[in-house]
């Protein structure tokens, strides 16, 4: 299975600021996903990030709010822009293995004051 | 509209007994189902999966049952151990490289 790391592991941010979360995978992967888990909710897919193309966003998520970069096959970033307390959540990076099993990073716990 | 539902937010089981976690889905296009376990401050880890061509898959203490006609799957843990205490997420996907759709999770507490 892929080993996935995320930075930062947690952060406390002020309203109106932006935070960029980094995701590093120890092997080359085609597909990377970004999820959000708000308190008491299921993991919700934000977007799919493929290398060499623009990210594909799910309904309710837009590029201006959650810009994503995918510069190569082992790395991606998610930025949470112009944050509000409603953005307080755990953000998780995920990849798809050749056997179609998804593996997750440890998550980034974000608190917006 | 939730496509994957875990209607029990929590479950407590005595050590050594069976834990049964349930999951229902609404999308008939789903053909691959997985269970993930999540400890606090960690990402979800893959536990066991089943494809729609099977109705049972077993791996050690963990067995997943799939009832396609009822759009229902369950995870059985026998015997339950205190280390099994975690949040369990049911997930489903359609064919191809499609991302998973998750339920809200069930918090399992195994009491010694």
């Amino acid at each position: 299975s892929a080993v996935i790391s995320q930075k930062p592991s947690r952060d406390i941010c002020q309203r109106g600021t932006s935070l960029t979360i980094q995701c590093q995978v120890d092997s080359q992967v085609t597909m990377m996903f970004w999820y959000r888990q708000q308190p008491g909710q299921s993991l919700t897919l934000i977007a799919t990030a493929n290398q060499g193309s623009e990210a594909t966003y799910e309904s309710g998520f837009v590029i201006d709010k959650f810009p994503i970069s995918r510069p190569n096959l082992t790395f991606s970033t998610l930025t949470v822009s112009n944050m509000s307390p409603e953005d307080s959540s755990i953000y998780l990076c995920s990849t798809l293995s050749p056997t179609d099993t998804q593996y997750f990073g440890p998550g980034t716990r974000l608190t917006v004051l | 509209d939730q496509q994957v539902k875990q209607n029990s937010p929590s479950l407590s089981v005595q050590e050594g007994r069976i834990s049964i976690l349930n999951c229902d889905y609404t999308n008939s296009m789903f053909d691959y189902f997985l269970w993930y376990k999540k400890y606090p401050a960690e990402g979800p880890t893959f536990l066991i999966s089943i494809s729609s061509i099977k109705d049972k898959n077993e791996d050690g203490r963990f067995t997943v049952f799939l009832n396609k006609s009822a759009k229902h799957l369950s995870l059985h843990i026998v015997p339950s151990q205190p280390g099994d205490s975690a949040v369990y997420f049911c997930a489903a996907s359609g064919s191809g490289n499609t991302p998973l759709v998750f339920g809200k999770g069930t918090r399992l507490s195994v009491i010694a």
Side-chain angles (χ1 to χ4, degrees):
Chain A
S1 63
V3 176
I4 304 171
S5 60
Q6 284 184 235
K7 286 197 293 188
S9 58
R10 57 175 58 220
D11 207 342
I12 300 173
C13 300
Q14 295 297 322
R15 181 196 296 262
T17 62
S18 297
L19 175 73
T20 296
I21 303 167
Q22 298 179 6
C23 176
Q24 181 75 53
V25 188
D26 69 341
S27 58
Q28 294 185 338
V29 293
T30 304
M31 302 184 78
M32 294 179 76
F33 308 101
W34 285 98
Y35 283 83
R36 177 173 77 178
Q37 186 187 12
Q38 293 179 304
Q41 301 298 313
S42 63
L43 289 90
T44 303
L45 181 65
I46 298 171
T48 301
N50 292 330
Q51 196 267 338
S53 62
E54 288 213 357
T56 304
Y57 289 82
E58 298 300 302
S59 175
F61 298 96
V62 295
I63 187 171
D64 290 346
K65 176 68 176 175
F66 297 101
I68 287 171
S69 79
R70 183 80 204 273
N72 57 53
L73 291 173
T74 64
F75 187 78
S76 178
T77 67
L78 170 77
T79 299
V80 186
S81 303
N82 188 24
M83 288 184 283
S84 66
E86 292 72 33
D87 295 320
S88 297
S89 185
I90 299 173
Y91 292 85
L92 294 138
C93 169
S94 173
T95 66
L96 197 65
S97 78
T99 57
D100 280 349
T101 299
Q102 271 185 255
Y103 294 97
F104 288 84
T108 296
R109 183 179 294 273
L110 171 61
T111 302
V112 184
L113 303 177
Chain B
D1 175 39
Q2 264 199 293
Q3 296 187 69
V4 177
K5 299 177 186 178
Q6 294 177 256
N7 292 319
S8 298
S10 63
L11 174 69
S12 286
V13 170
Q14 206 78 25
E15 180 180 7
R17 306 291 290 269
I18 184 171
S19 296
I20 300 177
L21 297 102
N22 292 304
C23 177
D24 298 291
Y25 61 96
T26 57
N27 190 338
S28 57
M29 299 302 290
F30 288 148
D31 63 2
Y32 187 53
F33 305 89
L34 307 89
W35 285 94
Y36 282 80
K37 181 166 74 172
K38 185 180 184 303
Y39 294 115
E42 294 182 14
T45 55
F46 170 72
L47 192 57
I48 192 169
S49 64
I50 188 168
S51 78
S52 60
I53 62 173
K54 291 186 167 186
D55 53 20
K56 176 182 173 182
N57 187 27
E58 195 171 349
D59 183 3
R61 296 186 297 114
F62 302 92
T63 303
V64 56
F65 295 92
L66 176 63
N67 182 335
K68 287 187 290 293
S69 61
K71 293 193 177 69
H72 176 84
L73 64 154
S74 61
L75 173 68
H76 292 210
I77 307 173
V78 181
S80 301
Q81 299 173 354
D84 296 329
S85 298
V87 177
Y88 289 79
F89 289 97
C90 171
S93 74
S95 57
N97 290 335
T98 54
L100 298 172
V101 179
F102 285 85
K104 287 189 177 184
T106 297
R107 181 178 300 277
L108 173 66
S109 300
V110 180
I111 305 159

